[in-house]
């Protein structure tokens, strides 16, 4: 339970902040019906509204309201048509041909001329994909097209992609926000500033962004998708996003009814809203809905192997950390039972390649022996490692700190803001860091790419700077294998190599958990936790 004095202070400040926010939103005369405005907070902030740079879950969720691609995912992660109404794949698996809808319009903008808009044509995808590849643009999503040889607009309604080799997971890559279509007129005019002047085709259109304060989207009345009864989507008139910088303030706003939705479970309010066995507390049961589902997300601690710190370079200590704490206990006491202890590998439950036998279980005596062996071999009597985290995961890191102290290993915990930690991790400025990896598409290659030597950060996602010839050979081989069972074996072997080297410490495989007000309907849940608001309704 939050201390009353702290709660009152935070409540006063955040209510004042949020009141000012909504008053300023309502200066737009046509946003005047609260039950048609979906309100939420993004504590981790967002970096961009340009899909070519949409690399975080937060960025993806806002870009998902503004942009569309050729294909999309439903809540079961089935790949469905979007701007492409259908597609064909050649027998050799190398050529994909997409037939485009002809009723998809870009959001209105004066740069389109007298009509203020125009329909999407195949050349728009050609432009968007070329922009993704443009070295001057330097999109972090350029890797999505690594297996693409060429792409071409056959005519206005047919877009063709040719691969360098068969890659069964490719169609899944195209669901990523990186592959969204954007108009050349607007993107060329704004250049880098397209990040704050986005024009797409999505269910909502951009209205206003005051960075770190507020973000407002409006309903796109020309949106092309309809519901099962043929009614136009979306139902909401607007989306209003605030940026209170911590989960505690965010939850207080939710509890007071000032925002409609909270995602995830934080230590600051987990016992306030949930019982020890993961049920809603009585005081929230009548006003709040809880939605839970599988999450393709592995929470982990990573090691920067190019560090000059002997403790980080030591495989003995990295394994000692993996053996030295009880993951099940951590889930029960710090997550109220939400999530699954990660005793397998880096690939999470639910993806082919997951194997529960290749990871680490709780063996405190073995951990002590490994620490003792390190001390004997190196002469470092008091081994120390600095673990950097964000405030939202401080309780997990402090739990591990206490547990690992029993093995003879001293863990110092430092806290950084989310954005600072991301930058430091990418640039090799932290020895040990807390992070998470959420699936971008439904293939375990998505997870294993983080260990591929050609993906060294900051230009890729190999934050560990791990290089292993056997791993690289298997990684490249997997692209040529179309049989899912054989691919699964290769993936498991690759994951076991990473686990044997103890490159990271898998903590738990997460669950998606969402809390909404009772008057919010139609907000589903999906295994990549992508926010999709086009089917959401609010009642009075």
């Amino acid at each position: 339970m939050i201390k009353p004095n702290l709660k009152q202070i935070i409540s006063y400040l955040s209510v004042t902040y949020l009141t000012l926010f909504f008053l300023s939103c309502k200066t737009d005369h046509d946003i005047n019906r609260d039950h048609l405005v979906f309100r939420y907070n993004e504590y981790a902030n967002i970096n961009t509204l340009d899909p070519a740079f949409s690399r975080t879950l937060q960025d993806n969720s806002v870009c998902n309201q503004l942009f569309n691609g050729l294909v999309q995912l439903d809540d079961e992660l089935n790949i469905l048509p979007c701007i492409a109404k259908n597609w064909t794949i050649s027998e050799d698996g190398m050529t994909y041909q997409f037939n485009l809808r002809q009723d998809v319009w870009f959001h209105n903008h004066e740069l389109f001329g007298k009509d203020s808009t125009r329909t999407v044509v195949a050349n728009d995808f050609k432009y968007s994909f070329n922009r993704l590849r443009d070295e001057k643009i330097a999109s972090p999503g350029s890797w999505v097209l690594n297996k693409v040889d060429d792409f071409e607009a056959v005519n206005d309604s047919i877009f063709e992609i040719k691969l360098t080799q068969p890659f069964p997971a490719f169609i899944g890559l195209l669901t990523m926000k990186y592959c969204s279509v954007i108009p050349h007129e607007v993107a060329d005019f704004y250049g880098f500033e397209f990040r704050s002047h986005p024009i797409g085709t999505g269910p909502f259109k951009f209205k206003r962004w005051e960075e770190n304060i507020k973000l407002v989207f409006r309903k796109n009345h020309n949106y092309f998708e309809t519901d099962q009864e043929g009614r136009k989507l979306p139902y909401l008139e607007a989306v209003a996003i605030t940026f209170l910088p911590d989960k505690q303030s965010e939850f207080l706003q939710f509890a007071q009814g000032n925002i409609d939705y909270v995602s995830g479970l934080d230590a600051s309010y987990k016992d306030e809203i949930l019982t020890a066995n993961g049920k809603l507390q009585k005081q929230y049961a009548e006003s709040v809905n809880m939605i839970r589902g599988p999450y393709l997300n592995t929470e982990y601690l990573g090691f920067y192997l190019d560090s000059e710190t002997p403790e980080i370079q030591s495989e003995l200590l990295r394994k000692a950390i993996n053996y030295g704490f009880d993951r099940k206990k951590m889930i029960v006491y710090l997550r109220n039972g939400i999530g699954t202890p990660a005793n397998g590998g880096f690939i999470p439950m639910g993806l082919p390649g997951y194997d529960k036998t290749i990871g680490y279980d709780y063996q405190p005596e073995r951990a002590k022996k490994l620490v003792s062996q390190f001390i004997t071999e190196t002469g470092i009597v008091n081994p120390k490692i600095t673990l950097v985290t964000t405030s939202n995961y401080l309780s997990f890191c402090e739990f591990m700190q206490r547990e690992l102290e029993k093995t003879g290993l001293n863990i110092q915990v430092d806290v950084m803001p989310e954005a600072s930690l991301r930058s430091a991790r990418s640039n090799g400025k932290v020895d040990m860091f807390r992070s998470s990896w959420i699936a971008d598409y439904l293939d375990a290659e998505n997870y294993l790419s983080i260990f591929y030597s050609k993906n060294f950060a900051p230009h890729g996602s190999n934050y560990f700077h791990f290089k292993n010839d056997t791993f690289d050979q298997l990684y490249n081989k997997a692209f040529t294998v179309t049989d899912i069972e054989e691919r699964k074996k290769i993936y498991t072997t690759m994951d076991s190599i990473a686990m044997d080297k103890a490159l990271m410490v898998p903590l738990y495989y997460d669950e998606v958990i969402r809390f909404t007000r009772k008057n919010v309907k139609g907000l589903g849940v999906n295994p990549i936790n992508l926010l999709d608001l086009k089917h959401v309704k609010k009642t009075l």
Side-chain angles (χ1 to χ4, degrees):
M1 187 73 69
I2 299 169
K3 294 180 180 179
N5 59 343
L6 176 61
K7 185 172 182 177
Q8 289 169 0
I9 292 170
I10 293 176
S11 176
Y12 172 78
L13 292 174
S14 53
V15 167
T16 301
Y17 176 96
L18 214 65
T19 301
L20 289 172
F21 168 71
F22 285 114
L23 284 175
S24 65
C25 284
K26 291 177 184 179
T27 59
D28 299 317
H29 64 85
D30 44 358
I31 301 181
N32 56 13
R33 290 179 290 176
D34 280 351
H35 73 285
L36 293 177
V37 180
F38 186 84
R39 308 159 302 169
Y40 78 98
N41 184 70
E42 190 49 79
Y43 81 94
N45 220 317
I46 61 170
N47 305 297
T48 185
L49 298 175
D50 184 341
F53 293 87
S54 184
R55 65 186 303 173
T56 68
L57 176 62
Q58 296 79 25
D59 295 344
N60 280 332
S61 286
V62 293
C63 284
N64 195 46
Q65 316 314 319
L66 299 173
F67 299 97
N68 298 104
L70 292 164
V71 290
Q72 61 186 329
L73 296 171
D74 66 9
D75 282 350
E76 281 72 50
L77 300 189
N78 298 306
I79 297 171
L80 302 178
C82 191
I83 295 178
K85 57 186 177 182
N86 54 58
W87 60 90
T88 59
I89 305 173
S90 62
E91 288 188 12
D92 62 4
M94 301 272 279
T95 302
Y96 291 67
Q97 193 171 91
F98 297 89
N99 296 307
L100 308 186
R101 300 177 63 129
Q102 298 177 33
D103 60 349
V104 181
W105 298 80
F106 285 113
H107 302 153
N108 287 8
H109 198 284
E110 60 187 12
L111 287 169
F112 290 122
K114 64 177 183 178
D115 294 328
S116 298
T117 185
R118 65 171 175 82
T119 55
V120 174
V121 294
N123 263 319
D124 292 314
F125 279 101
K126 183 176 181 179
Y127 170 82
S128 301
F129 282 26
N130 275 324
R131 184 171 179 265
L132 205 57
R133 276 184 163 175
D134 189 340
E135 293 182 0
K136 294 179 181 178
I137 299 291
S139 165
S142 60
W143 63 269
V144 171
L145 303 179
N146 282 351
K147 295 289 186 274
V148 173
D149 178 37
D150 195 15
F151 40 82
E152 190 59 57
V154 177
N155 55 44
D156 281 355
S157 60
I158 297 177
F159 183 62
E160 189 172 87
I161 303 175
K162 294 183 178 180
L163 305 186
T164 56
Q165 63 187 72
F167 180 32
F170 177 69
I171 195 74
L173 286 178
L174 295 178
T175 66
M176 298 180 67
K177 301 321 295 181
Y178 291 134
C179 299
S180 301
V181 68
I182 64 172
H184 66 86
E185 299 96 327
V186 182
D188 286 344
F189 179 82
Y190 284 108
F192 176 74
E193 290 305 315
F194 185 75
R195 69 180 289 278
S196 55
H197 297 81
I199 293 294
T201 60
F204 298 92
K205 58 186 179 181
F206 174 72
K207 178 66 176 177
R208 179 186 303 151
W209 184 19
E210 294 180 33
E211 294 196 45
N212 305 313
I213 299 176
K214 63 183 177 182
L215 176 62
V216 181
F217 299 152
R218 296 294 312 281
K219 178 176 183 174
N220 175 14
H221 289 278
N222 291 326
Y223 191 58
F224 61 94
E225 289 192 283
T226 59
D227 64 16
Q228 291 182 339
E229 283 74 42
R231 291 174 295 188
K232 289 181 70 68
L233 298 173
Y235 305 118
L236 296 166
E237 282 294 327
V239 179
I241 307 167
T242 52
F243 298 99
L244 292 172
D246 65 88
K247 293 289 284 184
Q248 187 178 57
S249 300
E250 178 181 280
F251 177 73
L252 286 174
Q253 289 303 317
F254 177 73
Q256 294 164 1
N258 294 320
I259 58 177
D260 301 306
Y261 157 79
V262 169
S263 177
L265 191 67
D266 188 74
S268 64
Y269 60 78
K270 66 180 182 66
D271 295 323
E272 168 78 11
I273 195 168
L274 291 185
T275 63
N277 62 353
K279 304 295 183 183
L280 280 172
Q281 296 279 12
K282 288 183 179 179
Q283 63 266 37
Y284 291 101
E286 293 184 2
S287 60
V288 171
N289 284 326
M290 179 175 67
I291 317 169
R292 288 173 62 175
Y295 195 2
L296 296 181
N297 173 29
T298 300
E299 296 286 338
Y300 71 96
L301 307 180
F303 301 101
Y304 178 59
L305 301 184
D306 280 346
S307 167
E308 296 180 359
T309 305
E311 288 90 336
I312 295 295
Q313 294 176 357
S314 171
E315 191 175 304
L316 294 173
L317 289 192
R318 300 199 303 269
K319 288 184 174 180
I321 294 172
N322 269 288
Y323 284 122
F325 70 103
D326 190 337
R327 291 167 174 82
K328 183 177 181 180
K329 181 179 176 183
M330 181 180 69
I331 291 295
V332 170
Y333 290 105
L334 298 181
R335 294 275 299 175
N336 293 53
I338 305 297
T340 303
N343 294 119
F346 190 58
I347 300 173
M349 300 171 64
L351 278 184
Y354 165 76
D355 190 328
K356 64 182 180 181
T357 69
I358 64 174
Y360 297 84
D361 54 5
Y362 181 44
Q363 298 187 42
E365 292 305 315
R366 188 169 183 177
K368 289 178 185 178
K369 289 179 181 178
L370 290 168
V371 174
S372 296
Q373 185 179 344
F374 171 82
I375 293 172
T376 300
E377 292 181 1
T378 64
I380 299 174
V381 180
N382 297 305
K384 299 178 182 179
I385 293 178
T386 298
L387 167 59
V388 183
T389 183
T390 59
S391 58
N392 295 306
Y393 290 87
L394 180 59
S395 59
F396 291 89
C397 296
E398 288 180 337
F399 169 82
M400 295 186 65
Q401 181 185 48
R402 293 189 296 270
E403 293 286 292
L404 293 170
E405 187 178 13
K406 301 170 187 176
T407 70
L409 181 58
N410 180 6
I411 301 291
Q412 177 183 332
V413 179
D414 286 353
V415 177
M416 278 188 184
E418 179 83 23
S420 300
L421 179 52
R422 281 200 300 264
S423 176
R425 180 189 64 195
S426 293
N427 291 287
K429 302 297 185 182
V430 288
D431 283 348
M432 185 180 180
F433 52 88
R434 193 224 64 85
S435 191
S436 57
W437 192 263
I438 302 168
D440 293 315
Y441 54 95
L442 297 184
D443 193 90
E445 184 272 335
N446 182 202
Y447 279 82
L448 299 170
S449 65
I450 202 171
F451 308 122
Y452 185 51
S453 65
K454 292 185 179 180
N455 287 340
F456 271 23
H459 304 296
S461 53
N462 188 340
Y463 310 118
F464 320 94
H465 279 208
F466 173 66
K467 179 175 173 55
N468 180 281
D469 290 341
T470 301
F471 184 96
D472 286 355
Q473 289 168 8
L474 289 170
Y475 181 81
N476 290 319
K477 179 182 178 181
F479 287 111
T480 67
V481 176
T482 57
D483 180 78
I484 187 60
E485 288 302 318
E486 187 178 350
R487 283 166 66 83
K488 180 179 176 180
K489 291 177 183 177
I490 293 173
Y491 288 156
T492 301
T493 301
M494 293 163 67
D495 202 8
S496 66
I497 291 173
M499 294 309 300
D500 183 60
K501 298 296 182 182
L503 308 181
M504 91 302 293
V505 183
L507 301 176
Y508 59 93
Y509 310 119
D510 207 356
E511 278 186 75
V512 176
I513 182 166
R514 293 176 169 180
F515 303 101
T516 69
R517 312 302 308 176
K518 285 285 188 181
N519 66 334
V520 173
K521 309 295 182 183
L523 181 67
V525 64
N526 57 75
I528 57 175
N529 202 19
L530 183 68
L531 188 62
D532 186 352
L533 299 177
K534 63 189 175 190
H535 290 99
V536 170
K537 296 179 180 178
K538 280 182 67 179
T539 58
L540 289 172

